Amino acid sequence: AQTVTQSQPEMSVQEAETVTLSCTYDTSESNYYLFWYKQPPSRQMILVIRQEAYKQQNATENRFSVNFQKAAKSFSLKISDSQLGDTAMYFCAFMPRTSGTYKYIFGTGTRLKVLA
Amino acid sequence: DTAVSQTPKYLVTQMGNDKSIKCEQNLGHDTMYWYKQDSKKFLKIMFSYNNKELIINETVPNRFSPKSPDKAHLNLHINSLELGDSAVYFCASSGLENEQFFGPGTRLTVL
């Protein structure tokens, strides 16, 4: 069975500092997508960053970057220069690229609080 | 323009009632989903449709019935509501890049 594990239920970081959220997954697939989604108190789910497993290069979106370690099945999210608006639940998600399969599997989330 | 919209955003109802949640996307995506997010924020897929065809049907009580009249719409009907159905229900759609676009969620409270 495919699973996604986020081992940090809660984290906090001082404004302007850097924080890393961890995510590991288990799969026998070789080709898949990985995502980080953010859910602020407004409850809207927002895509933060995506990574395709066949790409070696780590994805980056402004202050957000990932450390993708395919062999270790690890996909951590680094937030640089943390801002108060980054306070949210963060979900790691996995989706296999198997043809006809559109099933996303989400981790249990990490609640991040950015402190002023 | 809202990409994925859901109505209503809040729904409070009595146990035993039947209710529907509507979802529409204007992104031209072929695939749509329903998720349930429980009180611990755990997000679990319930159903997925691709071009009006049901492709994922997780272990969901048959009181839940999705309907996709066209590929831009995916509605969720729930019969005989129970206390345990209280949750936030999210509709989502995905296109060729496979990233999901979520609706604002519907908070369902069953009394």
Side-chain angles (χ1 to χ4, degrees):
Chain A
Q2 293 156 339
T3 57
V4 176
T5 302
Q6 292 179 249
S7 58
Q8 305 149 314
E10 291 188 5
M11 293 189 75
S12 61
V13 62
Q14 288 295 134
E15 201 176 3
E17 295 195 344
T18 295
V19 63
T20 299
L21 309 184
S22 66
C23 172
T24 58
Y25 56 95
D26 189 21
T27 184
S28 56
E29 303 272 346
S30 59
N31 212 356
Y32 46 86
Y33 296 95
L34 293 161
F35 305 86
W36 277 98
Y37 283 86
K38 167 185 175 180
Q39 187 179 37
S42 66
R43 87 169 180 236
Q44 179 69 53
M45 293 284 287
I46 303 162
L47 177 69
V48 174
I49 202 163
R50 69 193 290 269
Q51 174 84 40
E52 296 178 55
Y54 69 88
K55 288 186 178 175
Q56 303 254 344
Q57 191 172 2
N58 288 326
T60 300
E61 286 287 340
N62 301 313
R63 298 182 294 106
F64 299 88
S65 61
V66 297
N67 183 2
F68 173 48
Q69 303 284 331
K70 192 172 183 179
K73 295 180 183 171
S74 169
F75 183 60
S76 60
L77 175 70
K78 185 170 91 170
I79 307 174
S80 304
D81 186 25
S82 297
Q83 299 175 0
L84 295 177
D86 296 333
T87 293
M89 283 287 288
Y90 286 81
F91 294 95
C92 179
F94 165 93
M95 197 199 88
R97 279 192 77 175
T98 309
S99 175
T101 300
Y102 300 89
K103 185 174 177 179
Y104 267 57
I105 299 161
F106 283 85
T108 49
T110 296
R111 188 181 300 276
L112 176 68
K113 190 167 184 179
V114 179
L115 307 170
Chain B
D1 268 356
T2 305
V4 182
S5 59
Q6 289 179 233
T7 53
K9 289 204 173 113
Y10 297 92
L11 189 50
V12 180
T13 187
Q14 298 286 332
M15 229 167 32
N17 283 351
D18 303 338
K19 289 292 177 187
S20 291
I21 307 171
K22 295 189 175 183
C23 177
E24 176 180 2
Q25 54 98 0
N26 62 7
L27 298 166
H29 290 162
D30 285 341
T31 311
M32 295 184 74
Y33 306 79
W34 277 110
Y35 287 90
K36 179 180 180 181
Q37 187 175 43
D38 63 24
S39 57
K40 294 183 179 174
K41 301 292 186 184
F42 185 59
L43 202 63
K44 191 165 189 300
I45 193 167
M46 299 172 70
F47 303 103
S48 176
Y49 272 73
N50 182 254
N51 217 354
K52 301 194 297 175
E53 182 185 342
L54 181 66
I55 52 170
I56 295 174
N57 185 353
E58 291 293 287
T59 311
V60 176
N62 58 14
R63 298 181 295 102
F64 290 78
S65 51
K67 278 197 171 52
S68 183
D70 55 61
K71 72 175 195 177
H73 295 85
L74 180 61
N75 303 323
L76 183 66
H77 187 76
I78 316 169
N79 287 328
S80 304
L81 278 155
E82 299 177 357
L83 294 176
D85 298 332
S86 294
V88 179
Y89 292 84
F90 285 97
C91 176
S93 71
S94 65
L96 294 174
E97 294 296 313
N98 289 293
E99 63 189 70
Q100 300 219 327
F101 291 82
F102 285 82
T106 296
R107 182 178 293 281
L108 171 64
T109 304
V110 182
L111 303 175

